[in-house]
PDB file of all heavy atoms in Angstrom:
ATOM      1  N   SER A 180     110.111 122.249 167.667  1.00 93.00           N
ATOM      2  CA  SER A 180     109.392 120.981 167.521  1.00 93.00           C
ATOM      3  C   SER A 180     108.972 120.781 166.076  1.00 93.00           C
ATOM      4  O   SER A 180     108.400 121.680 165.466  1.00 93.00           O
ATOM      5  CB  SER A 180     108.145 120.982 168.413  1.00 93.00           C
ATOM      6  OG  SER A 180     107.269 119.935 168.057  1.00 93.00           O
ATOM      7  N   SER A 181     109.250 119.604 165.539  1.00 92.00           N
ATOM      8  CA  SER A 181     108.784 119.299 164.182  1.00 92.00           C
ATOM      9  C   SER A 181     107.276 119.068 164.179  1.00 92.00           C
ATOM     10  O   SER A 181     106.610 119.266 163.163  1.00 92.00           O
ATOM     11  CB  SER A 181     109.511 118.069 163.629  1.00 92.00           C
ATOM     12  OG  SER A 181     109.283 116.932 164.451  1.00 92.00           O
ATOM     13  N   GLU A 182     106.711 118.643 165.312  1.00 90.00           N
ATOM     14  CA  GLU A 182     105.258 118.472 165.425  1.00 90.00           C
ATOM     15  C   GLU A 182     104.542 119.780 165.124  1.00 90.00           C
ATOM     16  O   GLU A 182     103.459 119.794 164.539  1.00 90.00           O
ATOM     17  CB  GLU A 182     104.883 118.031 166.842  1.00 90.00           C
ATOM     18  CG  GLU A 182     105.275 116.611 167.210  1.00 90.00           C
ATOM     19  CD  GLU A 182     104.901 116.282 168.648  1.00 90.00           C
ATOM     20  OE1 GLU A 182     104.289 117.141 169.322  1.00 90.00           O
ATOM     21  OE2 GLU A 182     105.225 115.181 169.096  1.00 90.00           O
ATOM     22  N   ALA A 183     105.162 120.889 165.536  1.00 91.00           N
ATOM     23  CA  ALA A 183     104.527 122.194 165.407  1.00 91.00           C
ATOM     24  C   ALA A 183     104.391 122.643 163.958  1.00 91.00           C
ATOM     25  O   ALA A 183     103.624 123.559 163.666  1.00 91.00           O
ATOM     26  CB  ALA A 183     105.322 123.233 166.197  1.00 91.00           C
ATOM     27  N   LYS A 184     105.130 122.015 163.056  1.00 90.00           N
ATOM     28  CA  LYS A 184     105.107 122.459 161.668  1.00 90.00           C
ATOM     29  C   LYS A 184     103.834 122.043 160.937  1.00 90.00           C
ATOM     30  O   LYS A 184     103.518 122.593 159.883  1.00 90.00           O
ATOM     31  CB  LYS A 184     106.340 121.917 160.937  1.00 90.00           C
ATOM     32  CG  LYS A 184     107.644 122.514 161.465  1.00 90.00           C
ATOM     33  CD  LYS A 184     108.853 121.976 160.737  1.00 90.00           C
ATOM     34  CE  LYS A 184     110.135 122.586 161.291  1.00 90.00           C
ATOM     35  NZ  LYS A 184     111.345 122.053 160.633  1.00 90.00           N
ATOM     36  N   ASN A 185     103.115 121.070 161.471  1.00 91.00           N
ATOM     37  CA  ASN A 185     101.896 120.609 160.828  1.00 91.00           C
ATOM     38  C   ASN A 185     100.657 121.213 161.494  1.00 91.00           C
ATOM     39  O   ASN A 185     100.730 121.731 162.610  1.00 91.00           O
ATOM     40  CB  ASN A 185     101.821 119.087 160.878  1.00 91.00           C
ATOM     41  CG  ASN A 185     102.948 118.451 160.092  1.00 91.00           C
ATOM     42  OD1 ASN A 185     103.391 118.988 159.072  1.00 91.00           O
ATOM     43  ND2 ASN A 185     103.446 117.321 160.562  1.00 91.00           N
ATOM     44  N   ILE A 186      99.529 121.153 160.803  1.00 90.00           N
ATOM     45  CA  ILE A 186      98.277 121.638 161.378  1.00 90.00           C
ATOM     46  C   ILE A 186      98.042 120.898 162.690  1.00 90.00           C
ATOM     47  O   ILE A 186      98.131 119.668 162.736  1.00 90.00           O
ATOM     48  CB  ILE A 186      97.112 121.416 160.392  1.00 90.00           C
ATOM     49  CG1 ILE A 186      97.326 122.271 159.130  1.00 90.00           C
ATOM     50  CG2 ILE A 186      95.785 121.788 161.044  1.00 90.00           C
ATOM     51  CD1 ILE A 186      96.296 122.050 158.050  1.00 90.00           C
ATOM     52  N   PRO A 187      97.768 121.593 163.786  1.00 90.00           N
ATOM     53  CA  PRO A 187      97.738 120.961 165.120  1.00 90.00           C
ATOM     54  C   PRO A 187      96.627 119.935 165.294  1.00 90.00           C
ATOM     55  O   PRO A 187      95.580 120.014 164.657  1.00 90.00           O
ATOM     56  CB  PRO A 187      97.541 122.154 166.058  1.00 90.00           C
ATOM     57  CG  PRO A 187      96.880 123.186 165.215  1.00 90.00           C
ATOM     58  CD  PRO A 187      97.465 123.029 163.841  1.00 90.00           C
ATOM     59  N   LYS A 188      96.891 119.005 166.207  1.00 88.00           N
ATOM     60  CA  LYS A 188      95.923 117.946 166.513  1.00 88.00           C
ATOM     61  C   LYS A 188      95.458 117.991 167.969  1.00 88.00           C
ATOM     62  O   LYS A 188      94.307 117.713 168.260  1.00 88.00           O
ATOM     63  CB  LYS A 188      96.538 116.574 166.224  1.00 88.00           C
ATOM     64  CG  LYS A 188      96.890 116.333 164.765  1.00 88.00           C
ATOM     65  CD  LYS A 188      97.530 114.969 164.576  1.00 88.00           C
ATOM     66  CE  LYS A 188      97.913 114.719 163.123  1.00 88.00           C
ATOM     67  NZ  LYS A 188      98.581 113.399 162.941  1.00 88.00           N
ATOM     68  N   LYS A 189      96.373 118.333 168.882  1.00 91.00           N
ATOM     69  CA  LYS A 189      96.053 118.217 170.303  1.00 91.00           C
ATOM     70  C   LYS A 189      95.626 119.538 170.939  1.00 91.00           C
ATOM     71  O   LYS A 189      94.618 119.607 171.618  1.00 91.00           O
ATOM     72  CB  LYS A 189      97.256 117.643 171.057  1.00 91.00           C
ATOM     73  CG  LYS A 189      97.593 116.213 170.674  1.00 91.00           C
ATOM     74  CD  LYS A 189      98.774 115.700 171.484  1.00 91.00           C
ATOM     75  CE  LYS A 189      99.119 114.272 171.117  1.00 91.00           C
ATOM     76  NZ  LYS A 189     100.282 113.772 171.902  1.00 91.00           N
ATOM     77  N   PHE A 190      96.426 120.581 170.757  1.00 95.00           N
ATOM     78  CA  PHE A 190      96.119 121.859 171.388  1.00 95.00           C
ATOM     79  C   PHE A 190      96.262 122.983 170.377  1.00 95.00           C
ATOM     80  O   PHE A 190      96.955 122.859 169.376  1.00 95.00           O
ATOM     81  CB  PHE A 190      97.019 122.111 172.608  1.00 95.00           C
ATOM     82  CG  PHE A 190      98.487 122.202 172.270  1.00 95.00           C
ATOM     83  CD1 PHE A 190      99.051 123.392 171.840  1.00 95.00           C
ATOM     84  CD2 PHE A 190      99.307 121.094 172.394  1.00 95.00           C
ATOM     85  CE1 PHE A 190     100.398 123.475 171.527  1.00 95.00           C
ATOM     86  CE2 PHE A 190     100.666 121.167 172.082  1.00 95.00           C
ATOM     87  CZ  PHE A 190     101.204 122.353 171.641  1.00 95.00           C
ATOM     88  N   HIS A 191      95.599 124.091 170.666  1.00 96.00           N
ATOM     89  CA  HIS A 191      95.615 125.249 169.774  1.00 96.00           C
ATOM     90  C   HIS A 191      96.894 126.038 170.058  1.00 96.00           C
ATOM     91  O   HIS A 191      97.060 126.585 171.158  1.00 96.00           O
ATOM     92  CB  HIS A 191      94.375 126.098 170.019  1.00 96.00           C
ATOM     93  CG  HIS A 191      94.087 127.073 168.941  1.00 96.00           C
ATOM     94  ND1 HIS A 191      93.353 128.221 169.142  1.00 96.00           N
ATOM     95  CD2 HIS A 191      94.418 127.086 167.615  1.00 96.00           C
ATOM     96  CE1 HIS A 191      93.241 128.894 168.017  1.00 96.00           C
ATOM     97  NE2 HIS A 191      93.888 128.230 167.067  1.00 96.00           N
ATOM     98  N   PRO A 192      97.825 126.151 169.118  1.00 96.00           N
ATOM     99  CA  PRO A 192      99.142 126.747 169.383  1.00 96.00           C
ATOM    100  C   PRO A 192      99.139 128.137 170.014  1.00 96.00           C
ATOM    101  O   PRO A 192      99.929 128.383 170.929  1.00 96.00           O
ATOM    102  CB  PRO A 192      99.799 126.756 168.001  1.00 96.00           C
ATOM    103  CG  PRO A 192      99.169 125.607 167.288  1.00 96.00           C
ATOM    104  CD  PRO A 192      97.744 125.600 167.753  1.00 96.00           C
ATOM    105  N   PRO A 193      98.274 129.083 169.587  1.00 97.00           N
ATOM    106  CA  PRO A 193      98.352 130.403 170.219  1.00 97.00           C
ATOM    107  C   PRO A 193      98.024 130.388 171.704  1.00 97.00           C
ATOM    108  O   PRO A 193      98.436 131.292 172.431  1.00 97.00           O
ATOM    109  CB  PRO A 193      97.346 131.252 169.431  1.00 97.00           C
ATOM    110  CG  PRO A 193      96.445 130.279 168.755  1.00 97.00           C
ATOM    111  CD  PRO A 193      97.282 129.071 168.478  1.00 97.00           C
ATOM    112  N   SER A 194      97.313 129.373 172.159  1.00 98.00           N
ATOM    113  CA  SER A 194      97.022 129.292 173.590  1.00 98.00           C
ATOM    114  C   SER A 194      98.265 128.912 174.386  1.00 98.00           C
ATOM    115  O   SER A 194      98.310 129.096 175.608  1.00 98.00           O
ATOM    116  CB  SER A 194      95.905 128.266 173.856  1.00 98.00           C
ATOM    117  OG  SER A 194      96.367 126.934 173.658  1.00 98.00           O
ATOM    118  N   VAL A 195      99.277 128.393 173.694  1.00 98.00           N
ATOM    119  CA  VAL A 195     100.529 127.999 174.346  1.00 98.00           C
ATOM    120  C   VAL A 195     101.632 129.011 174.046  1.00 98.00           C
ATOM    121  O   VAL A 195     102.054 129.770 174.908  1.00 98.00           O
ATOM    122  CB  VAL A 195     100.953 126.581 173.903  1.00 98.00           C
ATOM    123  CG1 VAL A 195     102.324 126.228 174.473  1.00 98.00           C
ATOM    124  CG2 VAL A 195      99.921 125.556 174.370  1.00 98.00           C
ATOM    125  N   VAL A 196     102.089 129.063 172.792  1.00 98.00           N
ATOM    126  CA  VAL A 196     103.170 130.002 172.474  1.00 98.00           C
ATOM    127  C   VAL A 196     102.688 131.446 172.541  1.00 98.00           C
ATOM    128  O   VAL A 196     103.463 132.351 172.828  1.00 98.00           O
ATOM    129  CB  VAL A 196     103.794 129.706 171.094  1.00 98.00           C
ATOM    130  CG1 VAL A 196     104.464 128.335 171.093  1.00 98.00           C
ATOM    131  CG2 VAL A 196     102.776 129.812 169.967  1.00 98.00           C
ATOM    132  N   GLY A 197     101.410 131.671 172.287  1.00 98.00           N
ATOM    133  CA  GLY A 197     100.876 133.023 172.374  1.00 98.00           C
ATOM    134  C   GLY A 197     100.928 133.576 173.791  1.00 98.00           C
ATOM    135  O   GLY A 197     101.225 134.757 174.002  1.00 98.00           O
ATOM    136  N   THR A 198     100.642 132.733 174.768  1.00 98.00           N
ATOM    137  CA  THR A 198     100.726 133.147 176.165  1.00 98.00           C
ATOM    138  C   THR A 198     102.156 133.528 176.518  1.00 98.00           C
ATOM    139  O   THR A 198     102.409 134.518 177.220  1.00 98.00           O
ATOM    140  CB  THR A 198     100.235 132.023 177.085  1.00 98.00           C
ATOM    141  OG1 THR A 198      98.949 131.575 176.632  1.00 98.00           O
ATOM    142  CG2 THR A 198     100.113 132.496 178.523  1.00 98.00           C
ATOM    143  N   MET A 199     103.113 132.736 176.021  1.00 98.00           N
ATOM    144  CA  MET A 199     104.529 133.029 176.258  1.00 98.00           C
ATOM    145  C   MET A 199     104.935 134.338 175.564  1.00 98.00           C
ATOM    146  O   MET A 199     105.680 135.147 176.121  1.00 98.00           O
ATOM    147  CB  MET A 199     105.391 131.887 175.744  1.00 98.00           C
ATOM    148  CG  MET A 199     105.028 130.514 176.300  1.00 98.00           C
ATOM    149  SD  MET A 199     105.253 130.367 178.074  1.00 98.00           S
ATOM    150  CE  MET A 199     107.036 130.218 178.155  1.00 98.00           C
ATOM    151  N   GLY A 200     104.437 134.542 174.354  1.00 98.00           N
ATOM    152  CA  GLY A 200     104.739 135.770 173.623  1.00 98.00           C
ATOM    153  C   GLY A 200     104.179 136.997 174.310  1.00 98.00           C
ATOM    154  O   GLY A 200     104.837 138.047 174.387  1.00 98.00           O
ATOM    155  N   SER A 201     102.971 136.884 174.824  1.00 98.00           N
ATOM    156  CA  SER A 201     102.366 138.000 175.548  1.00 98.00           C
ATOM    157  C   SER A 201     103.156 138.319 176.810  1.00 98.00           C
ATOM    158  O   SER A 201     103.385 139.494 177.136  1.00 98.00           O
ATOM    159  CB  SER A 201     100.919 137.659 175.908  1.00 98.00           C
ATOM    160  OG  SER A 201     100.344 138.655 176.725  1.00 98.00           O
ATOM    161  N   ALA A 202     103.588 137.284 177.520  1.00 98.00           N
ATOM    162  CA  ALA A 202     104.384 137.496 178.734  1.00 98.00           C
ATOM    163  C   ALA A 202     105.695 138.194 178.398  1.00 98.00           C
ATOM    164  O   ALA A 202     106.129 139.113 179.112  1.00 98.00           O
ATOM    165  CB  ALA A 202     104.656 136.159 179.418  1.00 98.00           C
ATOM    166  N   ALA A 203     106.338 137.770 177.310  1.00 98.00           N
ATOM    167  CA  ALA A 203     107.613 138.366 176.907  1.00 98.00           C
ATOM    168  C   ALA A 203     107.441 139.824 176.507  1.00 98.00           C
ATOM    169  O   ALA A 203     108.220 140.702 176.922  1.00 98.00           O
ATOM    170  CB  ALA A 203     108.212 137.568 175.751  1.00 98.00           C
ATOM    171  N   ALA A 204     106.422 140.102 175.691  1.00 98.00           N
ATOM    172  CA  ALA A 204     106.161 141.482 175.254  1.00 98.00           C
ATOM    173  C   ALA A 204     105.828 142.375 176.437  1.00 98.00           C
ATOM    174  O   ALA A 204     106.301 143.521 176.530  1.00 98.00           O
ATOM    175  CB  ALA A 204     105.026 141.503 174.244  1.00 98.00           C
ATOM    176  N   SER A 205     105.013 141.856 177.358  1.00 98.00           N
ATOM    177  CA  SER A 205     104.623 142.635 178.533  1.00 98.00           C
ATOM    178  C   SER A 205     105.827 142.878 179.438  1.00 98.00           C
ATOM    179  O   SER A 205     105.988 143.973 179.994  1.00 98.00           O
ATOM    180  CB  SER A 205     103.519 141.901 179.298  1.00 98.00           C
ATOM    181  OG  SER A 205     102.360 141.736 178.493  1.00 98.00           O
ATOM    182  N   ALA A 206     106.664 141.854 179.599  1.00 98.00           N
ATOM    183  CA  ALA A 206     107.880 142.006 180.409  1.00 98.00           C
ATOM    184  C   ALA A 206     108.779 143.090 179.834  1.00 98.00           C
ATOM    185  O   ALA A 206     109.376 143.884 180.570  1.00 98.00           O
ATOM    186  CB  ALA A 206     108.620 140.675 180.488  1.00 98.00           C
ATOM    187  N   LYS A 207     108.867 143.126 178.500  1.00 98.00           N
ATOM    188  CA  LYS A 207     109.689 144.148 177.855  1.00 98.00           C
ATOM    189  C   LYS A 207     109.141 145.545 178.118  1.00 98.00           C
ATOM    190  O   LYS A 207     109.891 146.474 178.464  1.00 98.00           O
ATOM    191  CB  LYS A 207     109.763 143.878 176.350  1.00 98.00           C
ATOM    192  CG  LYS A 207     110.706 144.821 175.590  1.00 98.00           C
ATOM    193  CD  LYS A 207     112.142 144.639 176.063  1.00 98.00           C
ATOM    194  CE  LYS A 207     113.109 145.533 175.319  1.00 98.00           C
ATOM    195  NZ  LYS A 207     114.487 145.383 175.851  1.00 98.00           N
ATOM    196  N   LEU A 208     107.833 145.704 177.972  1.00 98.00           N
ATOM    197  CA  LEU A 208     107.231 147.020 178.148  1.00 98.00           C
ATOM    198  C   LEU A 208     107.270 147.464 179.611  1.00 98.00           C
ATOM    199  O   LEU A 208     107.331 148.662 179.904  1.00 98.00           O
ATOM    200  CB  LEU A 208     105.792 147.006 177.627  1.00 98.00           C
ATOM    201  CG  LEU A 208     105.283 148.282 176.961  1.00 98.00           C
ATOM    202  CD1 LEU A 208     106.224 148.749 175.859  1.00 98.00           C
ATOM    203  CD2 LEU A 208     103.895 148.061 176.392  1.00 98.00           C
ATOM    204  N   LEU A 209     107.251 146.490 180.524  1.00 98.00           N
ATOM    205  CA  LEU A 209     107.331 146.794 181.949  1.00 98.00           C
ATOM    206  C   LEU A 209     108.770 147.008 182.420  1.00 98.00           C
ATOM    207  O   LEU A 209     109.006 147.314 183.594  1.00 98.00           O
ATOM    208  CB  LEU A 209     106.715 145.650 182.765  1.00 98.00           C
ATOM    209  CG  LEU A 209     105.192 145.531 182.723  1.00 98.00           C
ATOM    210  CD1 LEU A 209     104.743 144.181 183.254  1.00 98.00           C
ATOM    211  CD2 LEU A 209     104.546 146.671 183.511  1.00 98.00           C
ATOM    212  N   SER A 210     109.728 146.831 181.502  1.00 98.00           N
ATOM    213  CA  SER A 210     111.152 146.992 181.812  1.00 98.00           C
ATOM    214  C   SER A 210     111.606 146.069 182.939  1.00 98.00           C
ATOM    215  O   SER A 210     112.370 146.460 183.833  1.00 98.00           O
ATOM    216  CB  SER A 210     111.462 148.456 182.192  1.00 98.00           C
ATOM    217  OG  SER A 210     111.137 149.330 181.138  1.00 98.00           O
ATOM    218  N   LEU A 211     111.144 144.812 182.910  1.00 98.00           N
ATOM    219  CA  LEU A 211     111.562 143.847 183.925  1.00 98.00           C
ATOM    220  C   LEU A 211     113.036 143.505 183.755  1.00 98.00           C
ATOM    221  O   LEU A 211     113.566 143.506 182.642  1.00 98.00           O
ATOM    222  CB  LEU A 211     110.726 142.567 183.828  1.00 98.00           C
ATOM    223  CG  LEU A 211     109.206 142.697 184.001  1.00 98.00           C
ATOM    224  CD1 LEU A 211     108.582 141.317 184.153  1.00 98.00           C
ATOM    225  CD2 LEU A 211     108.843 143.571 185.198  1.00 98.00           C
ATOM    226  N   ASN A 212     113.702 143.186 184.872  1.00 98.00           N
ATOM    227  CA  ASN A 212     115.093 142.758 184.767  1.00 98.00           C
ATOM    228  C   ASN A 212     115.146 141.314 184.268  1.00 98.00           C
ATOM    229  O   ASN A 212     114.115 140.662 184.102  1.00 98.00           O
ATOM    230  CB  ASN A 212     115.831 142.924 186.102  1.00 98.00           C
ATOM    231  CG  ASN A 212     115.234 142.068 187.224  1.00 98.00           C
ATOM    232  OD1 ASN A 212     114.808 140.937 187.008  1.00 98.00           O
ATOM    233  ND2 ASN A 212     115.213 142.617 188.432  1.00 98.00           N
ATOM    234  N   LYS A 213     116.353 140.817 184.042  1.00 97.00           N
ATOM    235  CA  LYS A 213     116.494 139.496 183.415  1.00 97.00           C
ATOM    236  C   LYS A 213     115.864 138.392 184.258  1.00 97.00           C
ATOM    237  O   LYS A 213     115.185 137.500 183.729  1.00 97.00           O
ATOM    238  CB  LYS A 213     117.966 139.188 183.160  1.00 97.00           C
ATOM    239  CG  LYS A 213     118.181 137.924 182.339  1.00 97.00           C
ATOM    240  CD  LYS A 213     119.616 137.760 181.900  1.00 97.00           C
ATOM    241  CE  LYS A 213     120.503 137.334 183.043  1.00 97.00           C
ATOM    242  NZ  LYS A 213     121.865 136.938 182.586  1.00 97.00           N
ATOM    243  N   GLU A 214     116.069 138.443 185.559  1.00 98.00           N
ATOM    244  CA  GLU A 214     115.497 137.413 186.420  1.00 98.00           C
ATOM    245  C   GLU A 214     113.971 137.459 186.379  1.00 98.00           C
ATOM    246  O   GLU A 214     113.299 136.415 186.319  1.00 98.00           O
ATOM    247  CB  GLU A 214     115.990 137.592 187.858  1.00 98.00           C
ATOM    248  CG  GLU A 214     115.517 136.465 188.774  1.00 98.00           C
ATOM    249  CD  GLU A 214     115.997 136.638 190.209  1.00 98.00           C
ATOM    250  OE1 GLU A 214     116.456 137.747 190.544  1.00 98.00           O
ATOM    251  OE2 GLU A 214     115.875 135.678 190.980  1.00 98.00           O
ATOM    252  N   GLN A 215     113.419 138.650 186.400  1.00 98.00           N
ATOM    253  CA  GLN A 215     111.962 138.777 186.336  1.00 98.00           C
ATOM    254  C   GLN A 215     111.420 138.295 184.994  1.00 98.00           C
ATOM    255  O   GLN A 215     110.335 137.710 184.935  1.00 98.00           O
ATOM    256  CB  GLN A 215     111.564 140.237 186.565  1.00 98.00           C
ATOM    257  CG  GLN A 215     111.795 140.735 187.984  1.00 98.00           C
ATOM    258  CD  GLN A 215     111.590 142.232 188.110  1.00 98.00           C
ATOM    259  OE1 GLN A 215     111.989 143.007 187.226  1.00 98.00           O
ATOM    260  NE2 GLN A 215     110.967 142.675 189.197  1.00 98.00           N
ATOM    261  N   CYS A 216     112.169 138.526 183.921  1.00 98.00           N
ATOM    262  CA  CYS A 216     111.755 138.011 182.602  1.00 98.00           C
ATOM    263  C   CYS A 216     111.707 136.488 182.611  1.00 98.00           C
ATOM    264  O   CYS A 216     110.799 135.877 182.035  1.00 98.00           O
ATOM    265  CB  CYS A 216     112.722 138.498 181.519  1.00 98.00           C
ATOM    266  SG  CYS A 216     112.619 140.266 181.166  1.00 98.00           S
ATOM    267  N   THR A 217     112.695 135.877 183.261  1.00 98.00           N
ATOM    268  CA  THR A 217     112.702 134.416 183.399  1.00 98.00           C
ATOM    269  C   THR A 217     111.435 133.942 184.081  1.00 98.00           C
ATOM    270  O   THR A 217     110.773 132.997 183.630  1.00 98.00           O
ATOM    271  CB  THR A 217     113.928 133.971 184.223  1.00 98.00           C
ATOM    272  OG1 THR A 217     115.117 134.318 183.530  1.00 98.00           O
ATOM    273  CG2 THR A 217     113.904 132.465 184.458  1.00 98.00           C
ATOM    274  N   HIS A 218     111.095 134.584 185.196  1.00 98.00           N
ATOM    275  CA  HIS A 218     109.912 134.172 185.953  1.00 98.00           C
ATOM    276  C   HIS A 218     108.625 134.457 185.188  1.00 98.00           C
ATOM    277  O   HIS A 218     107.661 133.680 185.278  1.00 98.00           O
ATOM    278  CB  HIS A 218     109.905 134.845 187.322  1.00 98.00           C
ATOM    279  CG  HIS A 218     111.036 134.403 188.208  1.00 98.00           C
ATOM    280  ND1 HIS A 218     111.313 133.075 188.439  1.00 98.00           N
ATOM    281  CD2 HIS A 218     111.972 135.111 188.895  1.00 98.00           C
ATOM    282  CE1 HIS A 218     112.362 132.970 189.244  1.00 98.00           C
ATOM    283  NE2 HIS A 218     112.792 134.200 189.525  1.00 98.00           N
ATOM    284  N   ALA A 219     108.586 135.545 184.434  1.00 98.00           N
ATOM    285  CA  ALA A 219     107.398 135.844 183.634  1.00 98.00           C
ATOM    286  C   ALA A 219     107.122 134.717 182.642  1.00 98.00           C
ATOM    287  O   ALA A 219     105.976 134.273 182.474  1.00 98.00           O
ATOM    288  CB  ALA A 219     107.579 137.170 182.901  1.00 98.00           C
ATOM    289  N   LEU A 220     108.171 134.236 181.982  1.00 98.00           N
ATOM    290  CA  LEU A 220     108.012 133.121 181.042  1.00 98.00           C
ATOM    291  C   LEU A 220     107.571 131.860 181.763  1.00 98.00           C
ATOM    292  O   LEU A 220     106.697 131.119 181.286  1.00 98.00           O
ATOM    293  CB  LEU A 220     109.327 132.870 180.309  1.00 98.00           C
ATOM    294  CG  LEU A 220     109.784 133.950 179.317  1.00 98.00           C
ATOM    295  CD1 LEU A 220     111.185 133.648 178.799  1.00 98.00           C
ATOM    296  CD2 LEU A 220     108.811 134.067 178.143  1.00 98.00           C
ATOM    297  N   ALA A 221     108.183 131.599 182.915  1.00 98.00           N
ATOM    298  CA  ALA A 221     107.858 130.372 183.647  1.00 98.00           C
ATOM    299  C   ALA A 221     106.438 130.400 184.194  1.00 98.00           C
ATOM    300  O   ALA A 221     105.725 129.388 184.163  1.00 98.00           O
ATOM    301  CB  ALA A 221     108.864 130.176 184.780  1.00 98.00           C
ATOM    302  N   ILE A 222     106.005 131.552 184.682  1.00 98.00           N
ATOM    303  CA  ILE A 222     104.626 131.689 185.155  1.00 98.00           C
ATOM    304  C   ILE A 222     103.650 131.503 183.998  1.00 98.00           C
ATOM    305  O   ILE A 222     102.637 130.807 184.114  1.00 98.00           O
ATOM    306  CB  ILE A 222     104.411 133.066 185.819  1.00 98.00           C
ATOM    307  CG1 ILE A 222     105.278 133.201 187.070  1.00 98.00           C
ATOM    308  CG2 ILE A 222     102.934 133.266 186.185  1.00 98.00           C
ATOM    309  CD1 ILE A 222     105.405 134.636 187.568  1.00 98.00           C
TER     310      ILE A 222
END
């Protein structure tokens, strides 16, 4: 998103992409399979 390149106006970015990053890192450490990784991101 080009919107993301500027100082935010609507929402605090780490509350959005940070949650996704935490889910991805946790999925990796938990050794989830590919389908479970998909669901971790979606949840």
Side-chain angles (χ1 to χ4, degrees):
S180 166
S181 60
E182 289 178 3
K184 294 180 180 178
N185 296 326
I186 295 176
K188 296 178 181 178
K189 294 181 180 180
F190 62 85
H191 196 204
S194 72
V195 174
V196 296
T198 309
M199 305 296 284
S201 174
S205 299
K207 185 63 179 177
L208 215 53
L209 287 165
S210 300
L211 301 191
N212 62 38
K213 188 170 74 170
E214 185 180 14
Q215 291 171 320
C216 290
T217 297
H218 294 309
L220 291 173
I222 296 165

